[in-house]
């Protein structure tokens, strides 16, 4: 078992129109996201079954900036707003199933397959907006209109299937290092971006995505 006290996270999201013209850019800044995670590993002979769960602590953290690009065919910024960022929820759950090789000296490896689901929701509250008059470009010198309450919310759901290979170095029975490479042949992402002042929602979906990850860990708990 293990527990994580915080994780570093920053998310940027770009929305585009059907003509591939950028219409909105959201920058969610979360320099340190407080979270708690748990992982439990079960072993039967050389087979390993891994279950993990992590959840962020709902707090006010970071800022969110919203840039709009709605000046016809122009790519200039039309509107801007900045808000306090609140974590409404951010959790992940998943499983991995693998086979642990016999040790070659102190080295072992674990090929594995896995599945994970992540759901996160951020809320932008308070802050201010700057809307230029007469359809002009935003310059940053416009007057600021202060806001109260929830202005924008952003929710994202992610499903992944992974295949991986972990290489481990067993220092002692209770201490080991691990380096794991993961490939995600299937990634499905759905998002809902709600703008309450404009009473508008943006829906976005990505299917059949793919990706990769490199993971380094230190395990100081008893291992089999």
């Amino acid at each position: 078992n293990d527990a994580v006290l915080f994780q570093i996270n920053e998310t940027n999201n770009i929305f585009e129109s059907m003509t591939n013209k950028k219409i909105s850019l959201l920058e969610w800044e979360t320099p340190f996201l407080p979270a708690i995670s748990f992982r439990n590993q079960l072993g039967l002979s050389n087979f390993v079954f891994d279950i993990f769960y992590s959840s962020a602590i709902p707090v006010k953290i970071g800022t969110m900036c919203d840039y709009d690009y709605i000046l016809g065919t122009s790519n200039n910024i039309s509107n801007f707003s900045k808000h306090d960022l609140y974590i409404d929820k951010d959790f992940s759950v998943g499983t991995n199933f693998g086979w642990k090789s016999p040790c070659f000296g102190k080295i072992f490896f674990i090929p594995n397959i896995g599945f994970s689901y992540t759901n996160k929701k951020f809320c932008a509250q308070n802050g201010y907006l700057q809307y230029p008059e007469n359809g002009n470009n935003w310059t940053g010198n416009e007057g600021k209109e202060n806001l109260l309450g929830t202005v924008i919310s952003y929710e994202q759901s992610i499903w992944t299937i992974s295949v991986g290979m972990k290489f481990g170095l067993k220092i002692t029975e209770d201490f080991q290092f691990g380096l794991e490479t993961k490939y995600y042949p299937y990634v499905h992402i759905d998002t809902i971006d709600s703008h309450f002042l404009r009473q508008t929602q943006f829906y976005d979906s990505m299917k059949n995505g793919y990706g990769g990850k490199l993971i380094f860990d230190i395990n100081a708990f008893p291992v089999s």
Side-chain angles (χ1 to χ4, degrees), residues 58-90:
V59 292
K60 170 186 172 183
I61 183 170
T63 58
M64 192 283 293
C65 294
D66 178 23
Y67 305 84
D68 291 332
Y69 303 80
I70 52 177
L71 296 175
T73 59
S74 171
N75 289 321
N76 293 322
I77 299 172
S78 59
N79 307 318
F80 172 80
S81 63
K82 186 174 183 178
H83 316 279
D84 296 326
L85 178 62
Y86 289 80
I87 306 300
D88 186 78
K89 59 180 175 179
D90 188 346

Side-chain angles (χ1 to χ4, degrees), residues 112-127:
N112 60 81
I113 59 175
F115 167 82
S116 70
Y117 171 73
T118 298
N119 184 276
K120 61 181 66 179
K121 183 177 181 181
F122 302 151
C123 291
Q125 298 183 10
N126 308 323

Side-chain angles (χ1 to χ4, degrees), residues 85-220:
L85 178 62
Y86 289 80
I87 306 300
D88 186 78
K89 59 180 175 179
D90 188 346
F91 69 88
S92 298
V93 61
T95 63
N96 288 294
F97 180 76
W99 178 82
K100 184 176 180 179
S101 73
C103 286
F104 300 94
K106 294 185 177 183
I107 299 174
F108 64 90
F109 62 89
I110 306 176
N112 60 81
I113 59 175
F115 167 82
S116 70
Y117 171 73
T118 298
N119 184 276
K120 61 181 66 179
K121 183 177 181 181
F122 302 151
C123 291
Q125 298 183 10
N126 308 323
Y128 66 89
L129 59 82
Q130 291 178 306
Y131 282 10
E133 297 180 352
N134 303 320
N136 294 321
N137 300 339
W138 173 75
T139 64
N141 297 320
E142 294 79 6
K144 297 180 180 179
E145 180 181 344
N146 293 324
L147 303 170
L148 292 175
T150 301
V151 181
I152 298 173
S153 71
Y154 177 84
E155 184 169 5
Q156 184 181 73
S157 298
I158 306 173
W159 294 263
T160 68
I161 296 174
S162 67
V163 292
M165 176 68 75
K166 179 174 182 177
F167 299 90
L169 177 62
K170 193 172 184 179
I171 306 301
T172 69
E173 291 297 321
D174 299 334
F175 189 77
Q176 68 181 28
F177 293 99
L179 180 65
E180 183 175 10
T181 59
K182 274 189 176 295
Y183 174 67
Y184 298 88
Y186 178 79
V187 180
H188 182 153
I189 303 176
D190 290 328
T191 64
I192 301 177
D193 175 29
S194 303
H195 293 247
F196 298 106
L197 294 180
R198 290 187 283 163
Q199 297 183 336
T200 302
Q201 283 188 320
F202 297 94
Y203 297 89
D204 195 13
S205 182
M206 184 193 75
K207 300 179 181 179
N208 300 319
Y210 59 91
K213 182 186 291 187
L214 185 64
I215 305 169
F216 175 75
D217 64 62
I218 299 175
N219 194 327

Side-chain angles (χ1 to χ4, degrees), residues 49-60:
F49 182 67
D50 196 30
I51 304 174
F52 63 88
Y53 174 82
S54 68
S55 179
I57 301 172
V59 292
K60 170 186 172 183

